[in-house]
Structure formats: structure tokens, C-alpha cells
């Protein structure tokens, strides 16, 4: 029964902590409304402390953070950059900003993230033709950590800087170490749908103080140290406003609670649906803790008797926002002609996940009753088999 009168359930809406107004009011009262100020400094320091990393630069978006990470890694026109294929387009768009060439790397089934074997093949081939990439962008999809031990080993071996796109994985850990701290650079996003938000913003992190100082310089129009306005290289307007940073500080206070809540949402789905034939939940890699930003699962149509697309349609009819898994970037018209390294000769895991995957509403402010509505809608597809 499609009750369009029922309240819309969103995929991952913002969830305020209640402290935002304090930070914003302070900023307004002290006239710190520019893209610099105490909240920007505070948010940078507090996020760096949370991650246990030396430096953080607050930026206008996660995309801006990826862009600056590429520039700081020395990416220039015509260079290649490797990138996870199963991700949001923002992971790779900045490669095009610099007129570099993306090469996409497939996922594996255990992590849904960059497959180390495919990465090794790609790096080995690139090495032999003398065209090693200037950077590797690894994504932690839906909060799940990639196989960092294998991936950092390969990047060290071939001496290629690693950029960790942790936009979806703030609060996740790998061997107890926070996600986003494995590469030369970590990238975070505080877009409205992320686990915490600034209403829009991002952060670039690194243990290299000089790199983060350079990032702040590039992000403020590359203004030289001079009394007059002097510029020697191209710059950007990429800094975060002191108001947004105030929202971020208030949100960071409840990050650990949000991780717990996301994981509780996942567990409820899992307990109710794991037994359904043909449904398989996104795994959690051994030794890691995912923030479970979005609960994702795959539907094997033959075993289930329905497909992921059928589910998407009937959830939409019930006013429930669900989404397919990201369309792999090597299949996007935007990146037509880009090289792609699948998991193995006859297996493209990202395509498999795209064709069968679905993300369920995962808001930390979703009520039990609302989540039950989602579960009931999915269960209504399950055929009761006669004994
Ligand atoms: C959201 C997201 C980004 C981009 O972040 P913005 O702040 O929206 O620019 C980058 N990569 C991934 C994987 C994301 O999910």
C-alpha cells in the first residue's frame, strides 16, 4: 500500500547536536563571519586532535581538499592519477581540473574498496612503461576502510603518494587507527549528507606542516607575503567560513555518538533482513570499524526473486529515499576512454556491486518506527515459501 501521506524518510539527512547555535552566536557577536577566525582555527585543531594527525586545513568542500591534495602531490597536465572506480564523482573530478588522466581501479568483494591486486597490476604496468601515477586516490566507501596495509605497502614500494578520500569514513578505524590518516593526505567532507556536517565544507589533513601551510596559501588566492597584493601562482577561494566552522565544532562534539547510532541502524537492518535469501550486507573488513555511514547491501535477483531496482521503486512509492550503489566511474560518460583495471580478467567487482547494490536510509535521527517502515517494505517482497 503506497501511503504517499506518510512522512518522507531521507537517505542521510543532517542531524544537529544542539550546540550549533552557541558557536554561531559567538561568531556573530564577535563579528567573526569571514572565512577565518576562532572557529576555523578551533575546528582545524579539534579535528586534527581527534584524528591524531599534526595539521588540518578547513576548506569550502571535500572536493576542494582533493583538488589541493593533487596539486600538492605535483599533479600536472598529462600526468596520470589512479583512483578507486566505485565512488562518487567528486573523488575524480579534480583530476580533470588539472587536465591529468584518471586511471580507475576496481574493488574487491571483502571491502568493496580498491582491490590491492588490481592496484599492483596497474602500478607494475605503469612502472614498466615509465609512467607511474603522480598520486593514488583511495576511497573508504560508505565508511568502510580500504585494505590500507596492502595499499600503503604498494604506494611505498612504487613511491607514489597516497591520498585517502575519507569523505564518507570520518570516525572509522583500521587496526584502531582513525580513517583518513593513512595517506600523505586525508580528505574529509562536511556536506549535509555526511556523518557530521558544517552545512557544506571539507578538510585536508596531513602530518606535513609545510604541505598544509601551502594548502592554506593556495586556498586564499595564493597571496604572497607582501604589503601590496602580489601573486606568483594560481590560487583558489577554498577556505571555510567561520560560521560553517562553528557548526562543524558543534557537530564534532557528537561524532562518536553518531558513529554508534549509524552502527545501530545497520545492526537493526542486519538483524531483520540478513536471513532473507539473496540479500547480502556490505561486509566489515577484519580489524576495522566502519562508521556505517550508509547501510548498503546487494540483492541476488535469482535467489531473492526481486532485484535491487524493484526494491528502489517500491521504497520510492512508500516515500522512502534509497539509492543505488555509486555507478563506477569507468562507466561514466565523463570518463569515457579512461583506463580501467578490473579485479581480474573475468571479474569486475564494482560492476557487480553497482548492478545489485542498494543503500538504505541511514539517518542517525531516523526513528525506530521509520526504520521499521523501510524493513516492512523490503520484507513485503519476500515470498513465503510453502513448507
Ligand atoms: C561527499 C564526497 C566527496 C565530496 O565532498 P564535498 O564536500 O561534497 O565536495 C568526495 N568523495 C566522496 C567519496 C564523497 O562521498
Amino acid at each position: 500500500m503506497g501511503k504517499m501521506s506518510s512522512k518522507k524518510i531521507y537517505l542521510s539527512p543532517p542531524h544537529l547536536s544542539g550546540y550549533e547555535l552557541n558557536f554561531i552566536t559567538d561568531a556573530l557577536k564577535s563579528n567573526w563571519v569571514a572565512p577565518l577566525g576562532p572557529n576555523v582555527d578551533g575546528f582545524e585543531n579539534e579535528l586534527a586532535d581527534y584524528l591524531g594527525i599534526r595539521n588540518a586545513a578547513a576548506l569550502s568542500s571535500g572536493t576542494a581538499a582533493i583538488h589541493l591534495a593533487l596539486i600538492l602531490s605535483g599533479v600536472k597536465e598529462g600526468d596520470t592519477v589512479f583512483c578507486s572506480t566505485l565512488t562518487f564523482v567528486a573523488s575524480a573530478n579534480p583530476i580533470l581540473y588539472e587536465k591529468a588522466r584518471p586511471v580507475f581501479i576496481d574493488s574487491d568483494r571483502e571491502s568493496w574498496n580498491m582491490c590491492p591486486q588490481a592496484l599492483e597490476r596497474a602500478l607494475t604496468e605503469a612502472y614498466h612503461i615509465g609512467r607511474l601515477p603522480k598520486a593514488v586516490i583511495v576511497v573508504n566507501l560508505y565508511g568502510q576502510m580500504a585494505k590500507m596495509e596492502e595499499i600503503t605497502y604498494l604506494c611505498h614500494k612504487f613511491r607514489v603518494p597516497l591520498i585517502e578520500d575519507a569523505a564518507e569514513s570520518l570516525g572509522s578505524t583500521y587496526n584502531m587507527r582513525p580513517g583518513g590518516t593513512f595517506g600523505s593526505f586525508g580528505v574529509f567532507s562536511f556536506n549535509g549528507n555526511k556523518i557530521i556536517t558544517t552545512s557544506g565544507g571539507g578538510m585536508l589533513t596531513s602530518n606535513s606542516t609545510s604541505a598544509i601551510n601551502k594548502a592554506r596559501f593556495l586556498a586564499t588566492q595564493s597571496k604572497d607575503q607582501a604589503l601590496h597584493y602580489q601573486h606568483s601562482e594560481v590560487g583558489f577561494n577554498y577556505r571555510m567560513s567561520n560560521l560553517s566552522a562553528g557548526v562543524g565544532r558543534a557537530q564534532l562534539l557528537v561524532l562518536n555518538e553518531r558513529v554508534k547510532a549509524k552502527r545501530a541502524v545497520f545492526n537493526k537492518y542486519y538483524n531483520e533482513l540478513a536471513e532473507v535469501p539473496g540479500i547480502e550486507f556490505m561486509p566489515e573488513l577484519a580489524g576495522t570499524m566502519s562508521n556505517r555511514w550508509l547501510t548498503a547491501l546487494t540483492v541476488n535477483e535469482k535467489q531473492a526473486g526481486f532485484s535491487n531496482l524493484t526494491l528502489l521503486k517500491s521504497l520510492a512509492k512508500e516515500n522512502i529515499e534509497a539509492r543505488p550503489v555509486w555507478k563506477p566511474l569507468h562507466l561514466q560518460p565523463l570518463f569515457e576512454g579512461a583506463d580501467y583495471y578490473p579485479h581480474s580478467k573475468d571479474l569486475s567487482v564494482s560492476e557487480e556491486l553497482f548492478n545489485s547494490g542498494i543503500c538504505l536510509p541511514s539517518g542517525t535521527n531516523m526513528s525506530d518506527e521509520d526504520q521499521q517502515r523501510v524493513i516492512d517494505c523490503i520484507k513485503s517482497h519476500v515470498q513465503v515459501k510453502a513448507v
Side-chain angles (χ1 to χ4, degrees):
M1 264 194 311
K3 287 178 290 174
M4 284 309 285
S5 55
S6 50
K7 191 177 104 235
K8 174 143 184 166
I9 303 176
Y10 290 97
L11 189 71
S12 183
H15 184 181
L16 295 180
S17 70
Y19 307 114
E20 287 81 4
L21 212 49
N22 303 347
F23 286 98
I24 294 182
T25 306
D26 285 350
L28 291 175
K29 280 190 177 153
S30 56
N31 201 34
W32 278 111
V33 295
L36 78 173
N39 282 334
V40 172
D41 299 343
F43 190 35
E44 288 177 343
N45 292 333
E46 285 148 16
L47 190 84
D49 282 351
Y50 179 89
L51 296 170
I53 202 145
R54 243 174 253 140
N55 313 279
L59 302 171
S60 52
S61 71
T63 310
I66 297 172
H67 188 193
L68 294 183
L70 290 177
I71 294 172
L72 293 164
S73 304
V75 173
K76 301 247 159 49
E77 182 166 357
D79 288 338
T80 44
V81 175
F82 290 2
C83 184
S84 304
T85 194
L86 192 63
T87 182
F88 180 47
V89 69
S91 301
N93 261 334
I95 303 172
L96 300 186
Y97 301 170
E98 290 304 311
K99 299 187 166 59
R101 289 192 321 128
V103 171
F104 294 110
I105 312 292
D106 198 12
S107 305
D108 63 30
R109 284 184 177 139
E110 299 86 66
S111 69
W112 293 26
N113 285 314
M114 188 178 277
C115 166
Q117 290 92 317
L119 175 64
E120 183 164 27
R121 265 194 352 266
L123 284 169
T124 306
E125 278 184 28
Y127 175 76
H128 285 303
I129 58 168
R131 281 196 56 103
L132 277 172
K134 279 289 176 65
V136 171
I137 302 172
V138 62
V139 178
N140 301 324
L141 196 73
Y142 305 139
Q144 163 98 285
M145 295 298 298
K147 291 184 176 167
M148 286 304 169
E149 201 178 320
E150 293 88 336
I151 290 167
T152 51
Y153 169 80
L154 288 169
C155 287
H156 284 144
K157 179 176 163 190
F158 288 91
R159 295 167 195 269
V160 179
L162 181 67
I163 297 168
E164 193 181 352
D165 180 348
E168 300 178 358
S169 63
L170 178 57
S172 303
T173 61
Y174 180 101
N175 287 342
M176 311 294 280
R177 183 166 148 192
T181 64
F182 288 82
S184 310
F185 294 101
V187 167
F188 297 89
S189 166
F190 310 106
N191 197 16
N193 60 349
K194 297 296 180 347
I195 190 159
I196 62 168
T197 184
T198 59
S199 89
M203 194 78 81
L204 182 68
T205 59
S206 176
N207 274 322
S208 163
T209 305
S210 60
I212 293 300
N213 285 340
K214 182 80 196 269
R216 292 199 185 98
F217 167 80
L218 291 168
T220 44
Q221 311 284 14
S222 301
K223 188 157 98 42
D224 291 342
Q225 292 281 352
L227 204 54
H228 49 281
Y229 287 91
Q230 178 168 299
H231 307 269
S232 322
E233 59 186 299
V234 69
F236 307 89
N237 184 1
Y238 274 173
R239 280 296 251 167
M240 181 183 283
S241 102
N242 194 58
L243 289 179
S244 302
V247 178
R249 296 180 82 182
Q251 291 264 296
L252 193 55
L253 293 172
V254 294
L255 174 58
N256 289 337
E257 277 170 52
R258 296 293 183 260
V259 174
K260 276 198 200 118
K262 288 277 189 190
R263 289 178 64 83
V265 166
F266 175 90
N267 287 336
K268 183 173 165 80
Y269 281 128
Y270 186 87
N271 292 334
E272 297 261 3
L273 297 168
E275 303 284 284
V276 174
I279 282 188
E280 220 173 298
F281 282 82
M282 183 181 195
E284 188 172 44
L285 201 60
T288 73
M289 198 270 298
S290 168
N291 71 13
R292 294 290 189 192
W293 174 54
L294 293 184
T295 291
L297 54 83
T298 56
V299 183
N300 180 322
E301 191 174 357
K302 278 202 199 104
Q303 289 169 16
F306 56 88
S307 72
N308 61 331
L309 296 180
T310 316
L311 273 192
L312 280 171
K313 270 190 214 135
S314 50
L315 288 166
K317 234 189 261 166
E318 297 283 342
N319 214 13
I320 296 167
E321 185 186 27
R323 289 287 168 83
V325 163
W326 301 125
K327 179 174 178 172
L329 297 185
H330 71 276
L331 299 178
Q332 299 283 358
L334 175 65
F335 298 111
E336 210 186 315
D339 284 338
Y340 169 55
Y341 285 84
H343 182 278
S344 42
K345 204 161 125 278
D346 305 305
L347 179 63
S348 176
V349 171
S350 58
E351 292 180 34
E352 215 178 64
L353 294 170
F354 170 59
N355 288 326
S356 60
I358 178 170
C359 298
L360 299 179
S362 307
T364 46
N365 43 7
M366 178 167 59
S367 68
D368 262 2
E369 300 82 75
D370 281 351
Q371 191 174 2
Q372 198 58 49
R373 261 175 65 200
V374 182
I375 290 163
D376 291 344
C377 177
I378 296 172
K379 280 188 171 169
S380 72
H381 289 270
V382 181
Q383 308 293 323
V384 181
K385 289 210 179 77
V387 188

